[in-house]
Amino acid sequence: MLKYSVCFRQPEDIASFVNATSQFDGDIDLVSGRVIVDAKSVMGVAAISKLDSLQMVVHTDDCPELLEKVAPMLV
C-alpha cells in the first residue's frame, strides 16, 4: 500500500484525477481523516476535494503509470 498527498487546485483537476484512477485496475482510495471515498468516483472525490490533508491510497506497490498521470495533483 502506497500513500501520496493530493491537492486539487482547479475543478478540472478532479476530472483528470478520476479519469486517471479509473484507468487503473487496482483499488485506490482518497482519504481525509476518517472520510474515505473511492478515488474512481467523481461524486466522492468532488465531495471531499476541499478537505484538508487529502491522501491517495493505492492498494498495490506497482503503479508507475498511475503516478505519472496524477503527478500534477500530487503535493
Side-chain angles (χ1 to χ4, degrees):
M1 176 170 46
L2 303 171
K3 294 182 181 181
Y4 302 93
S5 294
V6 177
C7 179
F8 301 112
R9 292 169 184 84
Q10 303 175 41
E12 296 82 21
D13 290 346
I14 295 171
S16 296
F17 179 82
V18 172
N19 185 35
T21 57
S22 295
Q23 295 175 12
F24 186 71
D25 289 334
D27 291 330
I28 306 167
D29 295 321
L30 197 57
V31 179
S32 179
R34 295 184 291 176
V35 179
I36 302 171
V37 298
D38 184 352
K40 298 177 184 182
S41 165
V42 173
M43 294 298 288
V45 173
I48 71 168
S49 65
K50 298 293 182 188
L51 297 180
D52 293 331
S53 303
L54 284 178
Q55 284 197 322
M56 175 179 71
V57 179
V58 183
H59 297 276
T60 183
D61 292 336
D62 186 28
C63 58
E65 292 174 9
L66 171 67
L67 295 178
E68 185 177 313
K69 291 179 182 180
V70 299
M73 280 86 47
L74 299 180
V75 178

